[in-house]
Amino acid sequence: MPIEMSSRRSRITDEEINELISKLQSLLPESRRRSTSRASASKLLKETCSYIRSLHREVDDLSDRLSDLMSTMDSNSPQAEIIRSILRS
Amino acid sequence: MQVAEAFKHAFLKQMLLGFQASVVSPKSMGFQERKSAIKLSADVAMAVARGTRKWTRGLIAGLSKEHQNRSFLQLILGEQYERLMKPCHSSWKIPRCKKIVRRSLRVCCRRKKKKNQVGVLARTLVAKRTQELKILVPGGESMDGFSLLDETLDYVVSLRAQADLMQSLLTTIEASKLRSHSKGTLPERKASYVGN
């Protein structure tokens, strides 16, 4: 006997999914410019993927800059001492 | 949506542990090696600060697959390493979940007279993009439907925080370098601390 969707209570409601989709949309950078009408599913997914990739690039760039900055840092520098003292607390 | 204060503190602390391990390490590191160590520290810090989520487990599991990462991971994680490496007992299965999400996402598409054609195209695009997302989100391959969206949301919020916190670390270290250069030589600075 096939079980119809409507006749079975699933643990996750449509409401919860819609809320999740809204939240995701509000995180994306372009969403602030866009009108309130809902984007298509594939567009939302595409922009999410795009956003995640740009965040990865941002972190990679920051890692470059931190590595650069720390190249002149040795265990005797004031910065290393600051780090050590923060870790002790 | 923002991460909690506790996340920020845990992230920074874990990040600094990573710095200490890479700066104070017995061998001197070249630029690329140090950069890899920093990136690794940042990812570990983000996962540790967030706690137990599907994506954090996926992230740590992915990182420890690389042999060269393991000793560094053990160093910066300490006893947490064993705990984090324990296999995850899979959460409750949601057999209908895929259908619910597909149905809900389908509602987003514009309704046309040539409904069938649009429907097929939309479904194909959604499937393709979902596959892409599964690759981008750590541990995504084993996630489905609601789980994937939920984890994605959490992951994106954490990534944003990771970038912001790394930026503020950068700014802080740059500023302190500027101060220490302008204040004179190192021995003089140390003397002023002794008095406290």
Side-chain angles (χ1 to χ4, degrees), chain B residues 117-135:
Chain B
Q117 288 176 12
V118 173
V120 167
L121 177 63
R123 275 196 297 277
T124 312
L125 274 173
V126 168
K128 189 178 161 202
R129 299 292 177 205
T130 304
Q131 216 22 66
E132 234 177 276
L133 188 61
K134 282 189 177 189
I135 296 170

Side-chain angles (χ1 to χ4, degrees), chain A residues 26-89:
Chain A
S26 70
L27 279 182
L28 302 174
E30 285 110 75
S31 72
R32 284 162 216 147
R33 281 184 263 133
R34 182 181 299 121
S35 64
T36 51
S37 67
R38 208 145 43 124
S40 71
S42 68
K43 194 139 196 238
L44 175 71
L45 289 169
K46 180 181 163 189
E47 283 174 10
T48 304
C49 288
S50 175
Y51 188 41
I52 293 177
R53 282 195 203 100
S54 88
L55 285 167
H56 285 167
R57 279 195 301 271
E58 205 178 324
V59 168
D60 192 78
D61 176 64
L62 286 162
S63 304
D64 267 332
R65 289 157 67 192
L66 279 167
S67 179
D68 217 7
L69 203 65
M70 286 170 63
S71 61
T72 54
M73 213 162 109
D74 58 35
S75 31
N76 295 318
S77 70
Q79 286 75 36
E81 180 50 45
I82 292 169
I83 290 175
R84 273 191 285 263
S85 65
I86 294 173
L87 290 170
R88 264 181 244 128
S89 61

Side-chain angles (χ1 to χ4, degrees), chain A residues 12 14 17-18 27 45 53 55-56 58-60 62 64-65 67 69-72 76 79 84, chain B residues 20 23 31 34-35 38-39 100 103-104 129 132 146 153 155 160 162-163 170 173 176-177 186:
Chain A
I12 298 173
D14 277 0
I17 294 177
N18 287 332
L27 279 182
L45 289 169
R53 282 195 203 100
L55 285 167
H56 285 167
E58 205 178 324
V59 168
D60 192 78
L62 286 162
D64 267 332
R65 289 157 67 192
S67 179
L69 203 65
M70 286 170 63
S71 61
T72 54
N76 295 318
Q79 286 75 36
R84 273 191 285 263
Chain B
Q20 195 181 37
V23 167
F31 177 84
R34 199 170 39 243
K35 182 200 167 164
I38 289 169
K39 222 172 160 187
I100 302 169
R103 190 183 59 174
S104 178
R129 299 292 177 205
E132 234 177 276
F146 187 84
L153 186 69
Y155 181 53
R160 181 69 260 157
Q162 181 190 45
L170 193 68
I173 297 177
S176 87
K177 271 200 162 177
L186 183 59

Side-chain angles (χ1 to χ4, degrees), chain B residues 69-98:
Chain B
N69 289 344
R70 275 189 210 149
S71 52
F72 191 78
L73 276 172
Q74 274 173 313
L75 185 65
I76 57 180
L77 283 173
E79 53 203 22
Q80 291 180 79
Y81 183 72
E82 294 308 323
R83 188 169 47 85
L84 286 165
M85 289 311 296
K86 269 200 205 140
C88 181
H89 298 291
S90 69
S91 47
W92 38 280
K93 283 226 142 180
I94 320 156
R96 293 278 187 295
C97 181
K98 222 191 253 187

